Amino acid sequence: MSIERFSLNQATIKRADLPTALDLAAAAGVRSVGLWRDRVAETGLHEATRRLAASGLRFSSLCRGGFLTDPETSDQAWKDNLAALDETAALSAAGAPGSVPVLVMVVGGLPAGERDLVAVRDRVRWFLERLEPEARTRGVRIALEPMHPVFCADRAVVPTLGHALDLVGDLDPAAAGVVVDTYHVWWDPDVVPMIERAGAERRIASYQVCDWITPVPEGALLGRGLPGKGHIDFAPLTRAVEAAGFDGDIEIEVFHQEVWDAPFTRVIGDCKRAFTEVVAPHLG
Amino acid sequence: MSIERFSLNQATIKRADLPTALDLAAAAGVRSVGLWRDRVAETGLHEATRRLAASGLRFSSLCRGGFLTDPETSDQAWKDNLAALDETAALSAAGAPGSVPVLVMVVGGLPAGERDLVAVRDRVRWFLERLEPEARTRGVRIALEPMHPVFCADRAVVPTLGHALDLVGDLDPAAAGVVVDTYHVWWDPDVVPMIERAGAERRIASYQVCDWITPVPEGALLGRGLPGKGHIDFAPLTRAVEAAGFDGDIEIEVFHQEVWDAPFTRVIGDCKRAFTEVVAPHLG
């Protein structure tokens, strides 16, 4: 099977700086990359766009905007998200044809001492409504990422695909979509109907694949494996995302200490194999 | 406020055997207890019922039946669940007036190597349909416990209250209900409507309270705190459970190493205080 639609999210080779990640991906025959803001900033946006253009790689998303739930840091969050929109526009313009101007949004958890989830979720909606015109003006699409409920307190108060769709429901689909990340949504009894709904509402901005492995490590963050290493059935999810009309690049984004410690080229090879064996067979 | 409706789940003082747990609870003015099968077995069912009757305590639930998702251990699971039903009947009969014959069901995770969540959930439904007449015959109510999605792979494939209600939807409400445990359901954007639905369908068999604390420890199991120690807003959940018609005892069930290591009497005192300050103010 082809790795044509495989995109390497650079967090999977976390220790690599941006030039290294681009060089290794291109050398391995990868066609697309998802980038991270901290590594873009380290290289400098101008140099990052130059290198991305030179690499011939497509750009599939920038991680990440968001962290907008704390009223105390609201002004900073606003400025930071505008900068992230600008970076997304610049990078997607620099990528090879087929690049998409997608900014992944991790909304943030409960502010310290706050327990009113309803109010915090209202705040997310309010913030996204303000941000959407800014995204539209820049030709960028914000992609709200529902995260696994284990992160509800400390990372993202949006725990299901259905809830994410509700939150962006009044916004222009061209400027506001959602991320479907297998790791975050696989457990949901409604996941397939919600993927169908996301397709019908033209909201799928990104499809990311990684596996749920046990035992869950402390803090839960690094409990992600390459597709095939854990408990997730990638067939029904991938088929549903395809049937919902998503035809873009598919990122493998793995947070796991052993993966991060391994040699970059081996990890990229493992990703290509996992994509070929576990994901690609379910693509049309 | 009163601790009249507070029930001490004995897992909160995990190191105490059953006679010790009953003695300490009664001495502390607690009125109700939730018991665990391993501790009942250690004491012996006959002696456990005798001591429970002598304690004057109400019995609010037995933990736990279930673990029925693995076809390889199906016969054993069937026998084990029948035994758990018998124990529940005996204990509830021995408890003070107001005791309830509730058996909490933790259904189990994905069997080794199995990734088909739909099939495993169908198996849960099939097993519950078989078990329900056995419960009814004994005057026992099985209480399906939806568990936090962090446990979907390894402990319970039923991750939401709505899904639990769907699974018991065709069964007699007198013999099959659900557990509402704040720790497992607090993150769900639909939790209040689902509590309302559970009330309308006469399904709330047990209300358990404990808090979600961060960071999540390895394996996630021991990340529970006394109410007030974490991120959960107990007001809307408790009010919804009350409004849904639940008027039974409310268990505090905490799994946490520091709580387990602390002196029993201090833990019981802390539970009473947490119940009085964090839960009871939202009861009618």
Side-chain angles (χ1 to χ4, degrees):
Chain A
M1 297 297 293
S2 168
I3 60 156
E4 176 58 32
R5 290 177 62 190
F6 163 54
S7 176
L8 177 69
N9 186 294
Q10 78 172 119
T12 306
I13 48 170
K14 187 181 171 67
R15 290 178 296 114
D17 60 18
L18 187 131
T20 304
L22 295 176
D23 289 350
L24 291 174
V30 172
R31 308 296 304 272
S32 182
V33 287
L35 301 180
W36 276 64
R37 293 189 69 208
D38 54 346
R39 288 300 198 178
V40 170
E42 176 189 65
T43 299
L45 180 61
H46 182 77
E47 177 68 4
T49 55
R50 195 190 67 75
R51 285 186 176 260
L52 176 62
S55 74
L57 292 162
R58 292 189 297 268
F59 168 81
S60 56
S61 81
L62 182 64
C63 283
R64 55 202 183 180
F67 295 101
L68 45 80
T69 52
D70 190 343
E72 302 225 344
T73 57
S74 195
D75 288 349
Q76 182 55 44
W78 177 250
K79 287 177 199 156
D80 199 50
N81 278 282
L82 293 184
L85 292 173
D86 290 335
E87 293 158 25
T88 305
L91 290 163
S92 68
S99 295
V100 289
V102 168
L103 174 64
V104 173
M105 300 286 290
V106 175
V107 298
L110 290 167
E114 176 62 75
R115 292 189 174 91
D116 187 344
L117 265 177
V118 174
V120 175
R121 287 165 173 161
D122 283 346
R123 181 170 176 75
V124 170
R125 185 191 295 269
W126 173 86
F127 200 107
L128 293 176
E129 283 170 358
R130 280 181 75 209
L131 199 60
E132 182 242 28
E134 301 288 345
R136 194 151 18 108
T137 300
R138 290 165 176 82
V140 170
R141 194 177 195 195
I142 54 180
L144 181 58
E145 180 159 31
M147 295 188 83
H148 193 286
V150 72
F151 301 114
C152 187
D154 51 5
R155 199 164 296 265
V157 295
V158 180
T160 64
L161 188 51
H163 188 57
L165 291 170
D166 289 346
L167 286 171
V168 299
D170 292 333
L171 308 181
D172 177 359
V178 298
V179 179
V180 178
D181 182 323
T182 55
Y183 173 84
H184 292 304
V185 302
W186 72 282
W187 57 271
D188 186 348
D190 287 330
V191 63
V192 168
M194 286 303 114
I195 290 171
E196 291 167 355
R197 177 183 158 197
E201 297 176 1
R202 294 174 295 134
R203 294 292 181 188
I204 305 180
S206 175
Y207 180 43
Q208 301 186 338
V209 288
C210 78
D211 217 331
W212 179 274
I213 56 179
T214 49
V216 173
E218 181 179 355
L221 193 62
L222 306 192
R224 306 195 194 189
L226 286 171
K229 294 291 188 189
H231 299 282
I232 297 178
D233 188 355
F234 288 87
L237 300 175
T238 301
R239 284 197 293 255
V241 169
E242 275 267 290
F246 180 78
D247 58 3
D249 295 332
I250 299 170
E251 294 186 12
I252 291 184
E253 184 192 46
V254 171
F255 298 177
H256 192 273
Q257 200 59 54
E258 280 176 34
V259 173
W260 286 351
D261 290 342
F264 302 144
T265 51
R266 192 174 88 202
V267 172
I268 296 173
D270 289 345
C271 287
K272 288 169 60 181
R273 196 171 310 111
F275 188 86
T276 302
E277 293 176 1
V278 181
V279 180
H282 311 294
L283 297 174
Chain B
M1 297 296 295
S2 168
I3 60 156
E4 176 59 32
R5 288 176 64 190
F6 163 55
S7 176
L8 177 69
N9 185 294
Q10 78 172 119
T12 306
I13 48 170
K14 187 181 171 67
R15 290 178 296 115
D17 60 18
L18 187 131
T20 304
L22 294 176
D23 289 350
L24 291 174
V30 173
R31 308 297 304 271
S32 183
V33 287
L35 301 180
W36 276 65
R37 293 190 68 208
D38 55 346
R39 288 299 198 178
V40 170
E42 176 189 63
T43 299
L45 180 61
H46 182 77
E47 178 68 4
T49 56
R50 195 189 67 74
R51 285 184 177 263
L52 176 63
S55 74
L57 292 162
R58 292 190 297 269
F59 168 80
S60 55
S61 80
L62 183 64
C63 284
R64 56 199 183 182
F67 295 101
L68 46 79
T69 52
D70 191 343
E72 301 226 343
T73 56
S74 195
D75 288 349
Q76 182 54 42
W78 178 250
K79 287 178 199 154
D80 199 49
N81 278 281
L82 293 183
L85 291 172
D86 290 335
E87 293 158 26
T88 305
L91 290 163
S92 68
S99 295
V100 289
V102 168
L103 174 64
V104 173
M105 300 287 289
V106 175
V107 298
L110 290 166
E114 176 63 75
R115 291 188 175 91
D116 186 344
L117 265 177
V118 174
V120 174
R121 286 166 173 160
D122 283 347
R123 181 171 175 77
V124 170
R125 184 190 297 269
W126 173 85
F127 200 106
L128 294 175
E129 284 170 357
R130 282 180 74 207
L131 199 60
E132 182 242 28
E134 302 287 345
R136 193 150 19 107
T137 299
R138 291 165 176 81
V140 171
R141 193 177 196 197
I142 53 180
L144 181 58
E145 180 159 31
M147 295 188 83
H148 193 286
V150 73
F151 301 115
C152 187
D154 50 5
R155 198 163 298 264
V157 294
V158 180
T160 64
L161 188 51
H163 188 57
L165 292 169
D166 288 345
L167 286 171
V168 299
D170 292 334
L171 308 181
D172 177 0
V178 298
V179 179
V180 177
D181 182 324
T182 55
Y183 173 84
H184 292 304
V185 302
W186 72 281
W187 58 271
D188 187 348
D190 287 330
V191 63
V192 168
M194 286 302 114
I195 290 171
E196 291 167 355
R197 176 183 159 196
E201 298 176 359
R202 294 173 295 134
R203 295 290 181 190
I204 305 180
S206 176
Y207 180 43
Q208 301 186 339
V209 288
C210 78
D211 217 332
W212 179 273
I213 56 178
T214 49
V216 173
E218 182 180 354
L221 193 61
L222 306 191
R224 305 195 195 190
L226 286 171
K229 295 291 188 190
H231 300 282
I232 298 178
D233 188 355
F234 288 89
L237 300 176
T238 301
R239 285 198 291 256
V241 169
E242 276 267 290
F246 180 78
D247 58 3
D249 295 332
I250 299 170
E251 294 187 12
I252 291 183
E253 184 192 44
V254 171
F255 298 177
H256 192 273
Q257 200 58 55
E258 280 176 34
V259 173
W260 286 350
D261 290 342
F264 303 143
T265 51
R266 193 174 88 202
V267 172
I268 295 172
D270 289 345
C271 286
K272 288 168 60 181
R273 196 171 310 110
F275 188 87
T276 301
E277 294 175 1
V278 181
V279 180
H282 311 295
L283 298 173

